[in-house]
Amino acid sequence: MWTHVSSIETSATPAQVWALFSDVAGWKRWNAGIVNIELHGPFAEGSSFTMRVPGDDLFTSTLRTVRENQEFTDETVVDGNRVLVFHRIEALPSGQTRISYSTEITGPQEAEFGPMVVGDFPEVLGALKRHVEIRAAEERLRLAMLASDVKELDQILADDLLFTNHMGQVIDKAQDLELHRSGTLRFRSVETVELQVLGNAALPMTSICVKLSGHYAAQDFEALLRFTRIWRQADNGQWQLVAAHSSAVL
């Protein structure tokens, strides 16, 4: 039997990681080795999925174990070789979450198949980590905006933030915080309608559609806006918003 383990730690919760694992159609957003993927049935033991990879090869895999917020295992049989990949989520005492891919391959070509199967796992785990952490950062920002939590916003917004709003005004961090501190801007609701995580390792980007209501300078408002946001990881590992642009959705 050929075996291998790759792992990475993230600040995201097991539930946040599981949300990405259970969204099979969305795997290709953070796994560059997937061209197309389709799940046949629910995300549950016994269901199968077909996956097309670069080079146009098509593989069919079967879910063998599915334990919510803990792990799932898929099995793929290729030319008499059985490939099992255990995708595990472990909450650590530090508050971090460990994500690991444990691989077991048995068959006549196990030694040859092994390096090919796991070769991109470090990159895949790195992309998964960024993807889940940026989604978590977006949710943290949403809640801070809704509560006008200036202390929390001060941690989330980079000191050199530049935000171009839907009226073409350029707002820096100090101005943004003062809008909340003074009560000039108050939200009644901040609802995420759609969220996509894009971009490279250094500066991930999100495209997010948000339905907003509240008041600005004593005037009530409701708006549907699309934001493009660029995030940067600070020295302490926390993701901070460094640039943003918003447009009205008509």
Side-chain angles (χ1 to χ4, degrees):
M1 178 187 296
W2 191 93
T3 63
H4 181 272
V5 178
S6 292
S7 65
I8 199 167
E9 293 184 11
T10 174
S11 58
T13 66
Q16 289 168 333
V17 177
W18 185 258
L20 295 188
F21 274 170
S22 58
D23 177 21
V24 175
W27 289 1
K28 61 184 180 181
R29 299 190 186 108
W30 45 268
N31 188 334
I34 298 175
V35 174
N36 193 45
I37 191 166
E38 183 178 357
L39 176 65
H40 309 289
F43 189 68
E45 295 178 16
S47 292
S48 65
F49 59 88
T50 51
M51 180 171 65
R52 190 175 300 279
V53 300
D56 217 32
D57 289 326
L58 186 69
F59 298 98
T60 299
S61 304
T62 303
L63 294 171
R64 291 306 182 197
T65 61
V66 178
R67 301 169 60 203
E68 186 175 359
N69 296 336
Q70 297 180 59
E71 74 169 339
F72 77 91
T73 305
D74 59 54
E75 177 190 52
T76 310
V77 178
V78 182
D79 297 334
N81 297 276
R82 180 173 181 254
V83 181
L84 286 170
V85 182
F86 304 83
H87 308 74
R88 296 191 172 105
I89 307 170
E90 179 186 1
L92 302 176
S94 64
Q96 294 282 99
T97 298
R98 179 183 294 125
I99 310 169
S100 62
Y101 284 15
S102 300
T103 306
E104 298 178 358
I105 305 177
T106 54
Q109 297 168 285
E110 59 187 46
E112 177 184 346
F113 270 42
M116 292 190 294
V117 170
V118 307
D120 66 345
F121 279 9
E123 290 76 19
V124 170
L125 284 169
L128 172 60
K129 171 185 168 72
R130 290 191 300 275
H131 197 94
V132 71
E133 288 182 355
I134 293 301
R135 291 181 70 90
E138 283 283 0
E139 176 62 8
R140 186 182 173 199
L141 174 61
R142 186 188 72 82
L143 294 175
M145 290 169 56
L146 183 59
S148 284
D149 187 338
V150 175
K151 183 178 180 180
E152 181 76 345
L153 287 168
D154 185 44
Q155 296 297 313
I156 298 170
L157 305 181
D159 290 341
D160 54 347
L161 168 75
L162 283 181
F163 168 42
T164 305
N165 67 21
H166 61 289
M167 296 181 289
Q169 300 166 329
V170 179
I171 299 171
D172 62 20
K173 176 178 178 175
Q175 292 170 318
D176 193 298
L177 293 180
E178 183 57 28
L179 288 173
H180 289 276
R181 184 182 290 112
S182 66
T184 300
L185 175 62
R186 283 288 185 270
F187 292 107
R188 284 192 302 272
S189 67
V190 180
E191 177 187 349
T192 300
V193 177
E194 177 192 343
L195 170 61
Q196 296 183 60
V197 181
L198 314 164
N200 57 35
L203 294 173
M205 180 186 303
T206 57
S207 175
I208 181 169
C209 186
V210 183
K211 186 177 181 180
L212 303 164
S213 69
H215 69 259
Y216 180 83
Q219 296 293 319
D220 288 343
F221 70 87
E222 290 187 0
L224 184 62
L225 301 179
R226 181 169 292 279
F227 293 83
T228 301
R229 293 172 174 154
I230 298 176
W231 295 83
R232 182 177 64 205
Q233 198 163 25
D235 292 338
N236 63 2
Q238 178 176 296
W239 289 98
Q240 293 185 313
L241 183 63
V242 67
H245 184 280
S246 65
S247 301
V249 178
L250 304 177

